[in-house]
């Protein structure tokens, strides 16, 4: 690394060292891969979304990355909808020049890269899940994500059963994204009810029978500089998604990233046909919180688009435990 310091464009070398996403095999966080079709869009190519179901409004629902709000987008006369990709940036991390010069452990760049990548992955997950929740309480009439409520006298088994029944006419291959309290309740349900039920009522058995893959959504992410940490999904809520449609091919959510152009990918030391998130470095000095820092700044940037093409295949249940 010390030899690299002779390079007057060290920030370009840093960009190359920390450039690509950590895992090219996992092109998106696991929770997103389970519920969304992931697409890599070549540089300069436009993105179109086709509606997966038929109604009179002819809308698809695009999620705004900066606010997580839903934007109804009308289809064009030929039946497709052009979707706008939006820039999505991580928080600026920085490494002091003194640390670079004196460090015997030269993995500090890798650690910064892990922080950036992990935080950006979590922001993507929260953006999509917040967008789904917003779509369940929107005013889109036939284009709403289905909202499932817990009525008086019902418990988690009843709510999960209602959610599955609400989606069965539109698809199968269910994925249940469970908040931490919901996941714990699912795990302990059979034991808790063993002494009170006069007949066998097994929630885990029911989920297996229906082919439901349960994924626990945990963790927090800070979405604004200096802001508080927010849960990716409310602990007492869940989202159920049917991933195999009976009326159209593919999953009901489309997640697209813009492919990085060849010149920038080369600068990063990334494979031109795979690079999709630019993790770059700023030359010293940098400005952070209004102060000049003798440091190299690192951040990640990508352009993404998220569209719900079939809200009928998604159900949201809030505050159910």
């Amino acid at each position: 690394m010390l030899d690299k310091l002779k390079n007057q464009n060290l920030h370009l070398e840093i960009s190359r060292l920390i450039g690509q996403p950590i895992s090219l095999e996992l092109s998106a966080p696991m929770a997103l891969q389970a519920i969304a079709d992931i697409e890599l869009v070549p540089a300069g190519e436009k993105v179109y979304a086709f509606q997966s179901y038929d109604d009179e409004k002819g809308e698809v629902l695009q999620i705004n990355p900066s606010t997580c709000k839903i934007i109804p987008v009308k289809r064009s006369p030929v039946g497709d909808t052009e979707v706008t990709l939006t820039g999505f940036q991580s928080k600026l991390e920085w490494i002091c020049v003194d640390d670079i010069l004196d460090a015997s452990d030269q993995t500090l760049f890798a650690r910064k890269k892990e922080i950036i990548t992990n935080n950006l992955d979590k922001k993507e997950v929260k953006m999509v899940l917040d967008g789904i929740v917003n779509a369940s309480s929107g005013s889109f009439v036939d284009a709403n994500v289905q909202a499932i409520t817990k009525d008086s006298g019902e418990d988690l088994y009843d709510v999960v059963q209602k959610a599955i029944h609400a989606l069965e006419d539109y698809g199968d291959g269910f994925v249940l994204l469970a908040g931490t309290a919901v996941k714990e309740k699912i795990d302990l349900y059979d034991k808790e009810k063993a002494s009170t039920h006069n007949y066998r009522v097994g929630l885990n058995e029911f989920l297996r029978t229906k082919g439901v893959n349960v994924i626990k959504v945990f963790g927090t992410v800070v979405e604004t500089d200096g802001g508080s940490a927010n849960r990716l999904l409310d602990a007492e809520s869940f989202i159920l998604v049917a991933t195999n449609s009976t009326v159209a091919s593919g999953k009901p959510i489309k997640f697209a990233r813009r492919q990085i152009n060849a010149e920038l990918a080369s600068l990063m030391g990334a494979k031109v046909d795979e690079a999709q998130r630019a993790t770059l470095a700023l030359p010293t000095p940098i400005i952070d919180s209004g102060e000049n820092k003798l440091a190299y700044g690192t951040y990640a940037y990508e352009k993404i688009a998220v569209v719900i093409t079939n809200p009928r295949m998604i159900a949201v249940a809030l505050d159910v435990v």
Side-chain angles (χ1 to χ4, degrees):
M1 176 61 72
L2 293 179
D3 291 338
K4 299 293 186 183
L5 292 174
K6 299 176 182 178
N7 186 343
Q8 61 180 347
N9 292 321
L10 176 59
H11 66 287
L12 301 183
E13 178 63 22
I14 295 173
S15 296
R16 186 190 67 78
L17 291 173
I18 64 176
Q20 295 191 93
I22 291 175
S23 174
L24 289 173
E25 287 72 31
L26 295 175
S27 56
M30 180 181 67
L32 293 190
Q33 291 208 47
I35 63 173
D37 291 326
I38 312 298
E39 302 290 343
L40 182 61
V41 183
E45 183 175 294
K46 293 183 178 181
V47 177
Y48 295 90
F50 294 86
Q51 194 171 353
S52 294
Y53 68 102
D54 188 20
D55 72 359
E56 295 179 358
K57 289 187 173 294
E59 293 177 343
V60 295
L61 304 179
Q62 182 172 355
I63 299 174
N64 185 322
S66 61
T67 64
C68 299
K69 291 183 178 179
I70 290 292
I71 308 166
V73 184
K74 293 289 185 180
R75 291 186 302 169
S76 73
V78 295
D80 57 17
T81 303
E82 184 173 351
V83 175
T84 303
L85 284 93
T86 305
F88 207 45
Q89 183 175 323
S90 73
K91 177 185 175 184
L92 174 68
E93 302 281 349
W94 53 270
I95 304 173
C96 182
V97 169
D98 281 348
D99 292 337
I100 299 173
L101 290 172
D102 296 337
S104 57
D105 177 10
Q106 293 299 310
T107 64
L108 68 171
F109 289 121
R111 291 199 298 274
K112 289 295 184 183
K113 171 182 169 182
E114 290 173 0
I115 292 171
I116 290 170
T117 300
N118 185 48
N119 285 342
L120 206 52
D121 282 349
K122 290 193 292 185
K123 284 185 70 174
E124 288 177 352
V125 172
K126 181 164 176 55
M127 175 197 70
V128 174
L129 300 189
D130 282 355
I132 291 172
V133 172
N134 289 337
S136 71
S137 58
S139 57
F140 316 118
V141 191
D142 292 331
N144 278 336
V145 165
Q146 301 191 67
I148 308 299
T149 59
K150 180 182 177 182
D151 296 329
S152 177
E154 294 183 336
D155 65 7
L156 183 59
Y157 187 105
D158 300 301
V159 181
V160 170
Q161 188 178 59
K162 286 197 298 185
I164 291 174
H165 290 166
L167 301 189
E168 280 183 326
D169 289 345
Y170 305 98
D172 54 17
F174 299 108
V175 173
L176 192 151
L177 302 178
T180 53
V182 172
K183 180 61 168 63
E184 181 178 5
K185 196 72 172 178
I186 290 174
D187 292 342
L188 298 177
Y189 185 87
D190 293 5
K191 180 179 180 180
E192 290 179 352
K193 299 297 183 180
S195 61
T196 57
H197 279 169
N198 296 320
Y199 52 91
R200 180 175 180 81
V201 182
L203 178 54
N204 284 286
E205 184 178 359
F206 174 69
L207 291 171
R208 286 193 297 270
T209 300
K210 291 295 185 179
V212 179
N213 177 26
V214 179
I215 297 177
K216 180 180 179 180
V217 179
F218 61 94
T220 60
V221 62
V222 176
E223 298 178 85
T224 58
D225 192 13
S228 58
N230 299 315
R231 288 182 179 273
L232 302 187
L233 178 63
D234 176 67
E236 299 182 346
S237 303
F238 71 80
I239 296 172
L240 183 69
V241 180
T243 60
N244 299 320
S245 173
T246 58
V247 297
S249 62
K251 298 172 183 176
I253 302 169
K254 312 301 177 186
F255 182 97
R257 281 204 190 101
R258 172 72 73 193
Q259 184 179 2
I260 296 171
N261 65 47
E263 182 179 357
L264 183 55
S266 178
L267 170 65
M268 292 165 51
K271 294 181 180 180
V272 174
D273 60 345
E274 293 179 330
Q276 55 190 273
R277 179 182 288 167
T279 309
L280 301 171
L282 297 175
T284 189
I286 66 167
I287 298 176
D288 183 57
S289 301
E291 298 180 348
N292 289 321
K293 306 281 189 181
L294 187 63
Y296 289 96
T298 65
Y299 68 99
Y301 178 82
E302 63 188 12
K303 296 201 75 171
I304 62 174
V306 182
V307 177
I308 299 175
T309 56
N310 194 339
R312 297 289 188 179
M313 293 171 62
I314 307 172
V316 172
L318 304 178
D319 302 320
V320 293
V321 296

